[in-house]
Amino acid sequence: MDGRDGMRAADADREAVAERLRVALNEGRLDLHEYDERLQRAYAARTYADLEALLTDLPPVAPPQRSGLAPASATAPAVGSREGQPGPVATRGVTARWLAEVWLPYLNVVAIVVTIWAVTSLLSRDLLYFWPVWVAGPWGAVLLVRTITGLTGGEPQRQSIEGERRRQRKRSKRELRAGERDEEPPTG
């Protein structure tokens, strides 16, 4: 590789590509799985050629004034952006966090009912009918289906993106309130 393609990319270049990928996701040009995959590759890219390979099948971004397409929602803040600056989206551990959120309540309840069964069996000095299976079985089957459909449908990434948007809105509201307090004349 010679010329610009062989040059090392900077963090700002990686962030710019990540922002372009976010725009493509919001436009519906990428699905969540492909977005996640490309985003990971963008942050791992070393050269400009690595970064440009991630955008080759995406059209260039046209300003909304010149675009013939419907503009993206102006009210929704960009994921990970802070006052117009793109920010990194944490992709590691998103799936593990989602799985824990789905399965931990189940595991806690099953542990409680099995403990109750074990204590009652010990106190009666007889191995009682294992009734916790009626709690664990159906609920576990439902969670298994939810896990499979959620993972294949990209639910962990979607939930992560929505969570980031909620945090961004809260942060913006806090900053707005703080700015309003700073503008108020002192009383007294």
Side-chain angles (χ1 to χ4, degrees):
M1 284 188 226
D2 48 299
R4 183 176 184 273
D5 287 346
M7 296 175 107
R8 291 246 180 204
D11 286 342
D13 301 317
R14 290 181 195 90
E15 289 293 330
V17 169
E19 182 58 29
R20 177 61 191 106
L21 292 173
R22 280 186 211 90
V23 169
L25 175 69
N26 289 338
E27 291 173 341
R29 297 182 193 280
L30 297 175
D31 63 17
L32 282 172
H33 176 70
E34 190 174 14
Y35 165 74
D36 185 47
E37 205 172 88
R38 288 187 189 203
L39 191 63
Q40 288 177 10
R41 288 178 35 209
Y43 285 119
R46 292 185 180 194
T47 64
Y48 285 111
D50 296 338
L51 291 174
E52 288 174 1
L54 300 171
L55 304 175
T56 55
D57 61 340
L58 298 174
V61 178
Q65 303 86 340
R66 292 189 312 161
S67 176
L69 303 174
S73 172
T75 59
V79 174
S81 69
R82 182 182 177 105
E83 299 175 2
Q85 299 298 321
V89 173
T91 57
R92 294 183 186 170
V94 169
T95 302
R97 232 180 350 263
W98 182 79
L99 286 171
E101 190 177 300
V102 170
W103 284 93
L104 278 179
Y106 168 80
L107 295 173
N108 290 335
V109 169
V110 168
I112 290 169
V113 296
V114 168
T115 302
I116 292 170
W117 170 82
V119 168
T120 55
S121 289
L122 283 173
L123 291 176
S124 70
R125 296 181 186 196
D126 190 19
L127 193 59
L128 299 176
Y129 174 73
F130 189 69
W131 57 267
V133 73
W134 294 106
V135 175
W139 190 7
V142 169
L143 285 181
L144 185 61
V145 169
R146 179 173 179 215
T147 300
I148 292 169
T149 58
L151 290 175
T152 58
E155 186 62 28
Q157 291 80 8
R158 185 178 9 256
Q159 192 174 37
S160 173
I161 290 169
E162 284 303 314
E164 181 62 32
R165 285 184 178 148
R166 279 192 299 274
R167 284 188 291 279
Q168 177 63 31
R169 280 193 291 266
K170 284 182 183 177
R171 197 175 311 127
S172 297
K173 286 179 184 177
R174 273 197 310 269
E175 290 171 358
L176 183 62
R177 283 193 297 259
E180 289 172 354
R181 281 194 302 265
D182 291 343
E183 292 175 5
E184 290 178 5
T187 57

